[in-house]
């Protein structure tokens, strides 16, 4: 009966995370996505004016030149496919 009344004490471990320095910011256990600090949509001001100013800031930011060219080519191809589907006569753009 004495064996069941005695409870074991839990072991204590002194765990410190591998990549945690005491001078760091916040908790080492906090899960935060890596790209959150670069996103402009997080904690954005609400309202129409705030959304418009965020959109204008995104437009002014310099992006990848190849991405813009690729997007332009894709849009042109999709427009040509649409015009072909509706049977639009493209000969009006070319002079003979």
């Amino acid at each position: 009966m004495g064996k069941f009344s005695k409870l074991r004490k839990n072991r204590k471990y002194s765990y410190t995370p591998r990549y945690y320095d005491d001078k760091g910011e916040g908790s080492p256990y906090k899960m935060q996505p890596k790209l959150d600090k670069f996103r402009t949509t997080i904690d954005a001001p609400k309202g129409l004016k705030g959304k418009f100013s965020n959109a204008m800031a995104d437009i002014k930011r310099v992006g990848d030149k190849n991405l813009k060219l690729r997007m332009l080519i894709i849009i042109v191809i999709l427009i040509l496919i649409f015009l072909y589907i509706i049977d639009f006569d493209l000969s009006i753009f070319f002079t003979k």
Side-chain angles (χ1 to χ4, degrees), residues 24-91:
E25 53 193 45
S27 172
Y29 305 107
K30 183 180 177 185
M31 299 298 286
Q32 180 181 7
K34 292 181 180 179
L35 299 176
D36 270 357
K37 54 186 168 187
F38 301 112
R39 290 187 181 145
T40 58
T41 56
I42 294 179
D43 298 329
K46 306 250 191 260
L48 187 59
K49 184 178 179 182
K51 289 178 184 179
F52 184 74
S53 63
N54 276 345
M56 292 306 291
D58 285 343
I59 288 173
K60 290 178 185 175
R61 189 175 52 212
V62 177
D64 186 16
K65 302 284 184 189
N66 293 332
L67 178 71
K68 291 179 182 180
L69 179 65
R70 188 179 315 129
M71 188 66 153
L72 180 68
I73 291 172
I74 290 172
I75 289 173
V76 167
I77 290 173
L78 288 175
I79 288 173
L80 289 174
I81 289 173
F82 173 73
L83 291 176
Y84 179 76
I85 289 173
I86 64 169
D87 209 17
F88 186 75
D89 189 16
L90 295 176
S91 64

